[in-house]
Amino acid sequence: MTDLAKPPATPADSARSARNSASDAREGLADAPQSYAQLTWSRLRHHRLAIFGAIGLVIIVVLFIFGPWLNKYGFDERNVRDRRQGPSREHPFGTDPIGRDLYVRILTGGRYSIRIAAIVAITSTLIGTIAGAMAGFFGKWVDAVVSQLINLVLIVPALIILLIFSRKFGANPLGIAMVLSALLWTRIARVVRGVVMQFKEQEFVQAARAAGASNMRIVFRHILPNVVGAVVVEVTLLVGTAIVLESTLSFLGLGVQPPTPTLGNLVYQEKGEINNDPIRVLIPGMFVVGIVLFVNFLGDGLRDALDPKTKVEKE
Amino acid sequence: MSEPDAPLLEVSNLSVTFRTDAGPVRAVTELSMVVHAGETLAIVGESGSGKSVTALAIMRLHPKSATITGSITFEGGELLTLSDREMRHVRGNGIAMIFQDPMTALNPVFTIGDQIVEMIRAHRQTPKAMAWKQAAELLELVGVPEPARRAKQYPHEFSGGMRQRAMIAMAIANSPRVIIADEPTTALDVTIQAQVMEVIAAAQRETGAAVILITHDLGLVAGAGDRVQVMYGSRLFETGGLDDVFYRSANPYTKALLSSIPTLGSRAADRLTPIPGNPPSLLRPLPGCPFEPRCSWAIDICGEAMPDLRVVADGHSSRCHRADEVSVSGVDPHSATTASVPIAAGMPAHVAMPVSPVPEVLG
Amino acid sequence: MTTTEPILQLDHLVKQFPIKAGVLRRTVGQVHAVSDVSLDLFGEETLGVVGESGCGKTTLGRTLLRLIEPTSGTITFQGRDITHIGKAEMRAVRRDLQIVFQDPYASLNPRMSVREIVGEPLRIQGVDKGETRERVAEMLQAVGLLPEHGNRYPHEFSGGQRQRIGIARAITVHPKVLILDEPVSALDVSIQAQVLNLLEDLQERFELSMIFIAHDLSVVRHISDRVAVMYLGRVVELASRDTLYDAPAHPYTHSLLSAVPVPDPRAERTRQRIVLQGDVPSPASPPPGCHFHTRCPLATERCRTEVPLLVPIDGDTLHQVACHYPLQAGETLLERVSQVAVTR
């Protein structure tokens, strides 16, 4: 009676059930195990804009690092004889009012700008992640304190703070980097706080708690790995902002003082020449624009790659 | 214009393909179906079967990147070739839709009344004051208490069941000929579900519209439909009247489904007979029948060739190579339709269902 | 099958959530999620807890595990009061008291491999890596997956498979009691049966006691030995499975059963349904007296003022009802309603 609806078993059945278990195993599973990180990486590799941005950045950085060696002049070497010259074979970008080779200066300036941006990125990330994670995870008064701190920093216009502090601390690259970090950590903190608050309520965190996991374990093992993605995106964008801010400061005459070149203070120096010889202003300016653009492309690509898209078959 | 027996809505060979990162995915494959005036057609399937995609295709609500082939005719006119403007004239007017989640389907920044009025005035030249009056009447029809006052409230001030009623009111505002209800009660509690199904029935009585009910709940189908269509793996697997499909199914998937769902009549002593395996991948469809890996009736040909939809009885078709054998195999003793329904559910006494192996002859 | 002492005992459990409003975040009200619930769970039985949204069943499940701290009341586990014990002691208890969650897509950490996920409870309990690996392989097989699946990541699995992983994680420490919070609600119909059968097998194999929380009455009927029906934070009826479904006493239980559609066209055509009017009240402002009186066709003045207690009906301690006018066995709500209409 119970076999009512079923046809008699045949050899085809057992062959098929063997196929079934094999296909079961294969069913939801791709050819090889792919961790979330690997999946993100493969998505990133196919994102055209991100690749373009990455390549652009690599070219620029390589140029900054190795470029100056191709030219025999030091960045502070003055050849008064050759001052205010246009581009030539000796001086590919020309020389500045006191005879320094602009090619070397611009590329060296790029090095300093990148260095500053890197320090800002690392420091902001450290401070921002810790503050944001604590605020998001512990909530209540911790969150209140951190949030108000963030608001405080955000309310005051960035430029004013920078002006005040750079006079005091910031004539050198490290000083500027510190000042910028003190300003920009808030962006990281806000993102981290949001993500932590979101993940704190997820069921897999509840499951860990139900298994007896300590707070430390939950934060480091469960929440932070999921925060990494959002932070990475924010950091790439932060780098762009840092460079622009540094350049702005230098353009205003503050920031890193000569003879140390940065892209920003080179523009400042040459701004008088903008009518006669615009190329001296354009070149460092273009580098700034280029870096910011490429970094943004990369950031966009990362954001898209990290976004878990639902496949149609899962509906 | 159309003869009395001509179908109101006719879908022929509809296929819908989406572009995804992983490749093209065909969510609906060569689907053909008809809906007559005033009837209730239920489309049943699990996730990935293609039922919701079909509904959205009828309303042409898919993004332009989706490839839709085949034909959908409504009242004699082809829908797939209409321009956007012409299609807008049909939506909410000739064919209306009720969505699953009323919270996201209603605009939170406009009042309920505003939204019903917008629906009315999108298709008619009704002056605002009159449209508001009509909106209140519609809300009364769907059972919203104090309709005039509540029409001025916002969606978040309504409960889930009330919001769904508001959506039904919007759907029938222009007396559509077809109402598509896409999982209208899935997000609701069971006692509210019963209320909302009654409202849909009342709306249907009031407008004489045909209803296409899309759901995964076979119980809902049994209480609401005239005809039912079962979909699996983007294809139509079985279609027929309620009694045909529930008691005389000619399709192994339908039978397996009926055997696997717990019902109020289930007892722990009866083990459920689950369907082994997993739902099919639409990304890498198999050459033969999509249900073959999980089917207890499968034979060699099932893995090689796609079965046709073959007629088993008048108005009853099934897609299966062994449809004829399956249809006479009788009701599975474990299936939902053989369980006894408890007293509290409203039956006057236990009604024992026949469990004989002889195919039933019913009047 | 059941021993005399309950393995888990809830006494007058209450959970309220404060509603805060205004600039100063003052407490302006309370959400009464769980109001005075007392339940016992015996060894190797399955207690079904059923109800609609707002009834408090999910909160109850989390509270008895102390994932949420109760407002008042006691939780006694294996004879020991665990309501207020410290975190370290609770960790030891958690070896015997585990939970399976509803959403297969949110209950697994997307960054961890399946092996890490299933093995984590063991690692937290201090089990070494080697033994963890073995136990994980054993558990994966027990739930119908292959040990190789341990290398893979959650996003590669379907909903039903993920739920199996969640179950494996919960039983890997060999708990005595398993709380299941809507474990099959998010799954396709054809997969639900697989997982239900799996749970029954596991219960037998590992001698588990289960609390099965769900809104689907058919599923609960299938798997439970006893059933508790909740409405707005209170238990309104508690009975053995057959009694509850064949001879319920509470009008709400009758309405609930009547509202469930049966996949049987003939039955659907002929049966008479009771359709409750009105919405479920908000747990932030539950009605006075019996919470159900606003929708109950039998409600009287007494129901509006006096809270009915959960008491045995007809002297049968296994069947308890919280109602001033419980129905008798074999009586339908419709019959009683027409009776009442006549006498009024």
Side-chain angles (χ1 to χ4, degrees):
Chain A
M1 191 97 107
T2 47
D3 290 334
L4 191 63
K6 294 179 179 61
T10 67
D13 285 317
S14 32
R16 197 170 15 88
S17 70
R19 242 190 2 250
N20 269 357
S21 20
S23 83
D24 268 2
R26 245 182 291 126
E27 182 49 41
L29 310 179
D31 312 291
Q34 262 197 322
S35 76
Y36 201 67
Q38 289 168 317
L39 206 66
T40 306
W41 175 239
S42 82
R43 273 205 282 255
L44 191 62
R45 272 194 349 242
H46 292 101
H47 194 282
R48 260 178 266 152
L49 218 56
I51 300 294
F52 179 58
I55 293 178
L57 273 177
V58 166
I59 292 179
I60 289 183
V61 170
V62 165
L63 210 61
F64 287 165
I65 295 178
F66 295 111
W69 294 348
L70 296 178
N71 187 304
K72 60 181 193 270
Y73 294 98
F75 76 84
D76 202 19
E77 201 179 307
R78 303 157 205 229
N79 288 313
V80 180
R81 213 166 20 93
D82 295 331
R83 61 194 173 98
R84 286 190 196 276
Q85 277 189 9
S88 66
R89 219 166 356 127
E90 279 262 312
H91 302 282
F93 290 162
T95 56
D96 74 355
I98 51 179
R100 294 179 287 199
D101 177 70
L102 278 178
Y103 170 81
V104 173
R105 277 188 72 70
I106 289 174
L107 294 182
T108 314
R111 257 196 235 162
Y112 278 105
S113 294
I114 296 263
R115 208 177 290 173
I116 293 172
I119 297 176
V120 171
I122 295 174
T123 320
S124 310
T125 306
L126 271 172
I127 303 176
T129 306
I130 295 177
M134 289 198 356
F137 191 73
F138 292 110
K140 299 197 194 121
W141 67 267
V142 179
D143 184 14
V145 165
V146 173
S147 292
Q148 292 312 329
L149 201 61
I150 293 177
N151 287 336
L152 203 67
V153 172
L154 286 174
I155 286 174
V156 184
L159 235 36
I160 295 185
I161 294 210
L162 288 175
L163 292 180
I164 297 174
F165 281 101
S166 65
R167 274 206 184 283
K168 260 192 120 187
F169 303 113
N172 59 77
L174 193 63
I176 286 289
M178 287 300 115
V179 171
L180 288 176
S181 303
L183 210 61
L184 293 173
W185 69 269
T186 53
R187 290 177 49 164
I188 305 278
R190 261 213 301 209
V191 166
V192 169
R193 173 179 175 271
V195 175
V196 169
M197 283 174 74
Q198 178 197 336
F199 275 94
K200 198 173 62 144
E201 297 309 318
Q202 290 273 307
E203 278 185 352
F204 68 81
V205 170
Q206 304 277 342
R209 240 187 239 135
S214 61
N215 276 342
M216 283 292 273
R217 193 188 173 95
I218 289 179
V219 169
F220 283 101
R221 199 87 171 73
H222 291 278
I223 299 188
L224 281 184
N226 285 294
V227 164
V228 165
V231 170
V232 166
V233 173
E234 199 62 34
V235 165
T236 52
L237 303 177
L238 198 96
V239 164
T241 309
I243 294 204
V244 170
L245 274 178
E246 181 272 314
S247 306
T248 311
L249 268 183
S250 303
F251 185 73
L252 293 175
L254 302 155
V256 179
Q257 296 301 317
T260 315
T262 69
L263 293 174
N265 75 17
L266 287 169
V267 174
Y268 171 65
Q269 260 196 289
E270 297 297 323
K271 70 180 190 295
E273 298 291 316
I274 196 165
N275 288 319
N276 316 346
D277 221 347
I279 201 166
R280 296 165 189 233
V281 174
L282 278 176
I283 295 182
M286 266 168 33
F287 273 117
V288 172
V289 170
I291 295 174
V292 173
L293 261 179
F294 292 142
V295 140
N296 270 286
F297 289 156
L298 192 58
D300 276 350
L302 274 170
R303 187 180 285 148
D304 287 343
L306 284 163
D307 194 352
K309 292 189 199 125
T310 35
K311 295 186 220 151
V312 176
E313 51 181 39
K314 280 210 219 297
E315 226 174 85
Chain B
M1 179 184 64
S2 39
E3 314 137 34
D5 276 352
L8 183 59
L9 182 72
E10 186 164 3
V11 176
S12 306
N13 260 319
L14 178 73
S15 289
V16 180
T17 311
F18 295 108
R19 275 188 356 225
T20 71
D21 286 339
V25 170
R26 197 156 60 171
V28 176
T29 307
E30 288 159 18
L31 178 73
S32 296
M33 62 186 229
V34 293
V35 181
H36 297 271
E39 75 168 343
T40 304
L41 171 70
I43 305 184
V44 179
E46 300 176 282
S47 56
S49 59
K51 57 191 194 302
S52 277
V53 175
T54 306
L56 291 172
I58 295 174
M59 293 286 274
R60 287 193 49 202
L61 287 173
H62 286 298
K64 294 260 191 298
S65 58
T67 315
I68 305 181
T69 58
S71 138
I72 304 179
T73 47
F74 174 58
E75 292 183 326
E78 172 65 52
L79 288 182
L80 289 179
T81 53
L82 289 183
S83 69
D84 276 345
R85 212 153 154 269
E86 291 165 333
M87 193 62 215
R88 274 204 298 273
H89 186 69
V90 173
R91 290 190 201 116
N93 199 10
I95 309 179
M97 192 148 168
I98 302 167
F99 294 92
Q100 172 177 345
D101 185 359
M103 198 58 236
T104 51
L106 290 170
N107 192 329
V109 298
F110 289 103
T111 63
I112 299 283
D114 280 332
Q115 300 186 53
I116 303 179
V117 165
E118 182 187 7
M119 181 65 103
I120 297 173
R121 291 181 53 147
H123 296 283
R124 282 150 224 223
Q125 304 290 359
T126 321
K128 240 188 178 181
M130 203 154 99
W132 268 90
K133 199 158 151 294
Q134 283 176 8
E137 281 164 17
L138 284 165
L139 285 176
E140 192 175 16
L141 194 90
V142 297
V144 173
E146 300 179 272
R149 182 180 74 89
R150 299 210 71 169
K152 301 202 192 93
Q153 288 185 328
Y154 288 88
H156 68 264
E157 298 177 82
F158 274 43
S159 70
M162 286 290 152
R163 273 181 237 140
Q164 203 57 304
R165 290 171 194 257
M167 265 231 284
I168 295 171
M170 272 172 73
I172 61 171
N174 293 310
S175 297
R177 264 85 67 209
V178 177
I179 300 173
I180 304 180
D182 187 3
E183 305 257 23
T185 57
T186 305
L188 304 173
D189 282 322
V190 75
T191 52
I192 310 294
Q193 175 176 289
Q195 289 179 9
V196 171
M197 289 310 293
E198 286 215 329
V199 173
I200 294 179
Q204 190 177 21
R205 277 194 302 271
E206 179 73 20
T207 57
V211 169
I212 301 180
L213 175 68
I214 299 180
T215 179
H216 62 273
D217 186 342
L218 285 165
L220 218 56
V221 174
D226 296 318
R227 287 193 304 125
V228 57
Q229 259 174 217
V230 180
M231 287 185 73
Y232 185 83
S234 83
R235 289 177 197 269
L236 181 60
F237 257 46
E238 187 165 18
T239 175
L242 276 198
D243 285 356
D244 280 337
V245 173
F246 276 84
Y247 301 123
R248 292 182 288 275
S249 170
N251 192 288
Y253 171 60
T254 313
K255 288 192 106 136
L257 204 56
L258 286 167
S259 301
S260 74
I261 50 181
T263 69
L264 281 189
S266 303
R267 297 171 196 283
D270 302 346
R271 246 173 111 65
L272 294 171
T273 23
I275 307 181
N278 290 296
S281 160
L282 293 176
L283 207 56
R284 282 177 277 266
L286 303 168
C289 174
F291 189 57
E292 185 265 336
R294 309 168 79 186
C295 183
S296 56
W297 290 78
I299 47 180
D300 285 338
I301 189 178
C302 299
E304 294 154 20
M306 176 71 62
D308 297 318
L309 203 60
R310 52 188 72 170
V311 178
V312 177
D314 193 18
H316 182 192
S317 312
S318 164
R319 185 184 299 277
C320 179
H321 289 295
R322 302 178 70 181
D324 298 314
E325 292 171 61
V326 178
S327 74
V328 297
S329 69
V331 182
D332 190 305
H334 291 300
S335 109
T337 49
T338 59
S340 59
V341 179
I343 278 184
M347 298 284 282
H350 278 273
V351 174
M353 304 306 236
V355 185
S356 68
V358 176
E360 301 167 3
V361 177
L362 293 166
Chain C
M1 183 167 76
T2 58
T3 53
T4 43
E5 271 309 304
I7 191 169
L8 181 66
Q9 223 173 333
L10 307 174
D11 283 302
H12 302 290
L13 203 58
V14 174
K15 179 62 199 171
Q16 292 174 340
F17 294 101
I19 306 173
K20 296 203 156 87
V23 178
L24 295 173
R25 315 297 288 159
R26 230 176 278 143
T27 304
V28 295
Q30 299 282 343
V31 174
H32 303 269
V34 176
S35 308
D36 197 7
V37 168
S38 302
L39 283 175
D40 292 335
L41 177 70
F42 294 95
E44 289 181 61
E45 74 158 342
T46 302
L47 174 67
V49 177
V50 88
E52 298 177 293
S53 46
C55 73
K57 56 190 192 299
T58 298
T59 310
L60 183 69
R62 311 251 165 139
T63 307
L64 64 90
L65 269 182
R66 289 187 59 202
L67 277 181
I68 301 176
E69 294 296 338
T71 309
S72 69
T74 51
I75 307 163
T76 310
F77 182 54
Q78 294 186 268
R80 181 183 171 201
D81 185 341
I82 64 167
T83 326
H84 300 290
I85 61 177
K87 216 167 175 195
E89 291 177 76
M90 196 64 206
R91 185 171 304 145
V93 170
R94 295 203 187 283
R95 189 183 311 192
D96 291 324
L97 188 55
Q98 275 298 316
I99 181 167
V100 175
F101 293 95
Q102 170 180 3
D103 187 351
Y105 294 94
S107 57
L108 304 177
N109 187 338
R111 305 292 190 146
M112 287 166 72
S113 71
V114 167
R115 173 171 302 119
E116 290 172 321
I117 292 174
V118 176
E120 189 178 14
L122 285 172
R123 303 285 296 140
I124 292 175
Q125 296 290 342
V127 177
D128 67 80
K129 277 202 173 154
E131 195 187 329
T132 303
R133 227 184 148 84
E134 274 176 39
R135 284 264 276 269
V136 166
E138 189 193 319
M139 284 305 140
L140 286 176
Q141 279 179 314
V143 299
L145 295 169
L146 300 173
E148 295 88 81
H149 291 166
N151 293 329
R152 298 190 176 263
Y153 288 80
H155 63 82
E156 305 184 58
F157 293 92
S158 69
Q161 291 167 320
R162 285 191 212 208
Q163 206 59 321
R164 289 169 190 264
I165 296 170
I167 293 172
R169 170 178 60 192
I171 60 172
T172 198
V173 286
H174 290 311
K176 302 243 175 34
V177 174
L178 195 58
I179 316 286
L180 297 126
D181 187 4
E182 305 254 26
V184 295
S185 308
L187 303 177
D188 271 328
V189 168
S190 64
I191 309 291
Q192 283 186 11
Q194 286 180 18
V195 176
L196 286 174
N197 281 357
L198 173 67
L199 287 170
E200 288 177 333
D201 289 338
L202 292 173
Q203 180 175 34
E204 206 182 296
R205 180 168 161 186
F206 293 107
E207 295 167 336
L208 297 167
S209 315
M210 304 201 302
I211 296 186
F212 194 97
I213 299 172
H215 65 272
D216 187 333
L217 285 154
S218 315
V219 168
V220 167
R221 170 160 202 172
H222 179 79
I223 199 166
S224 311
D225 298 309
R226 291 190 303 135
V227 181
V229 179
M230 286 185 72
Y231 187 81
L232 232 57
R234 293 196 183 136
V235 176
V236 297
E237 187 159 8
L238 175 66
S240 73
R241 190 221 25 243
D242 289 336
T243 310
L244 192 97
Y245 283 84
D246 290 334
H250 198 284
Y252 176 60
T253 314
H254 275 256
S255 321
L256 207 55
L257 289 169
S258 180
V260 176
V262 181
D264 185 335
R266 240 175 265 142
E268 284 288 302
R269 276 196 288 266
T270 50
R271 73 189 183 110
Q272 290 173 295
R273 258 168 284 217
I274 308 148
V275 179
L276 287 179
Q277 299 308 310
D279 286 315
V280 183
S282 158
S285 52
C290 171
H291 286 337
F292 185 57
H293 83 255
T294 55
R295 304 166 82 198
C296 182
L298 305 177
T300 66
E301 189 58 38
R302 184 180 176 203
C303 304
R304 273 186 272 281
T305 49
E306 197 183 315
V307 177
L309 298 170
L310 191 67
V311 291
I313 188 173
D314 290 340
D316 177 9
T317 46
L318 283 178
H319 187 183
Q320 300 179 16
V321 192
C323 180
H324 296 306
Y325 307 102
L327 288 95
Q328 301 306 315
E331 192 185 1
T332 71
L333 187 55
L334 288 164
E335 286 166 9
R336 172 72 76 91
V337 167
S338 39
Q339 218 178 63
V340 164
V342 163
T343 53
R344 275 190 189 160

